[in-house]
Amino acid sequence: MSEYTYPILFGLATGTLTRIYMLRTDYRQYPTYLHGKIIHVALGFIAAGLGTVAIPSIMEEDFTAITFLTLAASQFREVRNMERNTLTELDSYEMVPRGKTYIEGVAIAFESRNYLVIFTSLLSTLGYLLFNIWGGLAAAVLAILISTKLMSGGRLKDIVDVEFVEPRFDGAGLYVDNIYIMNIGLPERQAEVLRYGMGFILNPKNFNARSTIANLGQRQAILHDVSTALGVYRDSGTPALVPLAKRDLDDGRVGVFVLPQEKDINKALKVIEAVPTLENAIRMPTERQTNGKGS
């Protein structure tokens, strides 16, 4: 057996296990059991193989093998396209859609985690070859900790304070606190809304947060996650029962109106606070550098 056999097997194992660890199916049920996971585990195994063979190739001065890493980059971009296309098709059948911003964030995450697998297997194999199996294990643990840190993005609770507010009607206008949501004229629909509806106010912690939650994609992500976790009281063809999120133009607060099948205030607050802060929605206007002053 080659001197690289055990290091390569070790790198393959750590990389694949890292991808399995990062592949989680939560309340959103994506990726689905079982076939959806098989695709990503298989791609993780391929990524682990690419990262593992890079170090022996460098040691043997076979630098042409490194070109496989550039090939992998183009192949894993197809993973992003695959996830984007799949979720876009599925989104048209959702009672409360994810929205394009959320879908793009999920697609980017699936692509980037394959690169984290390459990094983990590469570092593990390097540690094994430079030291021994214990050095490889130490490098694998370090790489997994770094991957875990990089894969965990921000949450909504980091940028806003969430509070529950009972929705109310002023004539035909539906309000959450003082934020106008929509107009519902039928008394029967008004009764349904007051019976099943829940309202929440998102108070931004700073000016950057105000710009982030103003993004329509970020607001749609909130509505989707709450409706997925708690259910939604509506069917197709009932526009009066659509969950909405509207913004107070004066102070930047966002009023969220949902109609869950499970009316649990504490659970809804936890779900909203755990909604991911979408990378494509983050805005930092306070970081803008001004090059000159006005006259």
Side-chain angles (χ1 to χ4, degrees):
M1 295 175 66
S2 170
E3 60 178 307
Y4 299 120
T5 300
Y6 288 122
I8 287 175
L9 290 176
F10 180 76
L12 276 172
T14 55
T16 305
L17 289 174
T18 300
R19 186 66 188 100
I20 293 173
Y21 169 71
M22 291 191 292
L23 189 63
R24 299 174 183 173
T25 298
D26 56 14
Y27 62 89
R28 288 164 291 198
Q29 285 298 295
Y30 194 83
T32 54
Y33 294 105
L34 174 64
H35 296 88
K37 285 195 168 185
I38 290 174
I39 294 171
H40 293 290
V41 172
L43 289 169
F45 179 80
I46 295 170
L50 290 169
T52 300
V53 299
I55 298 300
S57 299
I58 293 173
M59 289 184 170
E60 291 295 322
E61 297 184 355
D62 184 12
F63 299 111
T64 56
I66 306 303
T67 57
F68 282 109
L69 292 177
T70 60
L71 179 63
S74 63
Q75 291 300 314
F76 291 137
R77 276 197 295 271
E78 290 303 313
V79 174
R80 187 199 301 191
N81 293 332
M82 176 187 72
E83 292 302 326
R84 182 192 297 116
N85 295 336
T86 300
L87 289 172
T88 301
E89 290 297 322
L90 294 175
D91 214 37
S92 60
Y93 296 99
E94 293 279 359
M95 296 303 300
V96 181
R98 289 179 177 86
K100 292 183 178 180
T101 308
Y102 203 169
I103 288 173
E104 191 62 31
V106 173
I108 291 173
F110 274 105
E111 179 188 2
S112 63
R113 288 175 187 179
N114 285 305
Y115 301 136
L116 292 177
V117 169
I118 293 176
F119 167 74
T120 301
S121 58
L122 188 150
L123 201 62
S124 302
T125 306
L126 180 62
Y128 195 120
L129 289 171
L130 291 180
F131 303 101
N132 50 35
I133 189 172
W134 301 110
L137 284 171
V141 171
L142 176 63
I144 290 172
L145 290 175
I146 294 173
S147 298
T148 303
K149 178 66 176 177
L150 292 175
M151 70 173 275
S152 58
R155 301 293 175 185
L156 208 60
K157 64 181 178 181
D158 300 328
I159 63 172
V160 299
D161 294 314
V162 187
E163 60 176 308
F164 171 75
V165 177
E166 284 283 358
R168 63 180 177 84
F169 278 98
D170 185 357
L174 173 63
Y175 289 84
V176 172
D177 196 19
N178 66 327
I179 301 176
Y180 173 78
I181 302 297
M182 60 179 162
N183 189 288
I184 301 176
L186 295 176
E188 297 82 3
R189 283 285 184 245
Q190 290 186 359
E192 283 182 315
V193 166
L194 293 177
R195 180 181 176 185
Y196 295 100
M198 298 172 68
F200 300 91
I201 295 294
L202 309 184
N203 295 292
K205 294 182 179 180
N206 52 53
F207 191 79
N208 290 335
R210 182 188 300 185
S211 300
T212 300
I213 62 174
N215 184 276
L216 295 176
Q218 183 66 65
R219 285 189 255 172
Q220 189 62 36
I222 297 169
L223 300 175
H224 174 78
D225 275 13
V226 174
S227 300
T228 302
L230 302 179
V232 58
Y233 181 79
R234 71 166 301 226
D235 202 352
S236 59
T238 53
L241 301 179
V242 176
L244 291 172
K246 292 293 184 71
R247 183 169 175 253
D248 189 324
L249 300 180
D250 293 324
D251 55 19
R253 294 178 306 143
V254 169
V256 177
F257 170 72
V258 292
L259 290 126
Q261 289 181 329
E262 180 184 354
K263 196 172 181 178
D264 187 329
I265 296 174
N266 291 328
K267 187 174 180 180
L269 286 170
K270 291 179 180 178
V271 171
I272 293 175
E273 290 175 346
V275 172
T277 307
L278 305 183
E279 291 184 19
N280 297 326
I282 294 175
R283 299 290 182 271
M284 293 187 177
T286 58
E287 299 296 322
R288 182 177 180 272
Q289 300 293 328
T290 54
N291 296 323
K293 296 180 180 179
S295 57

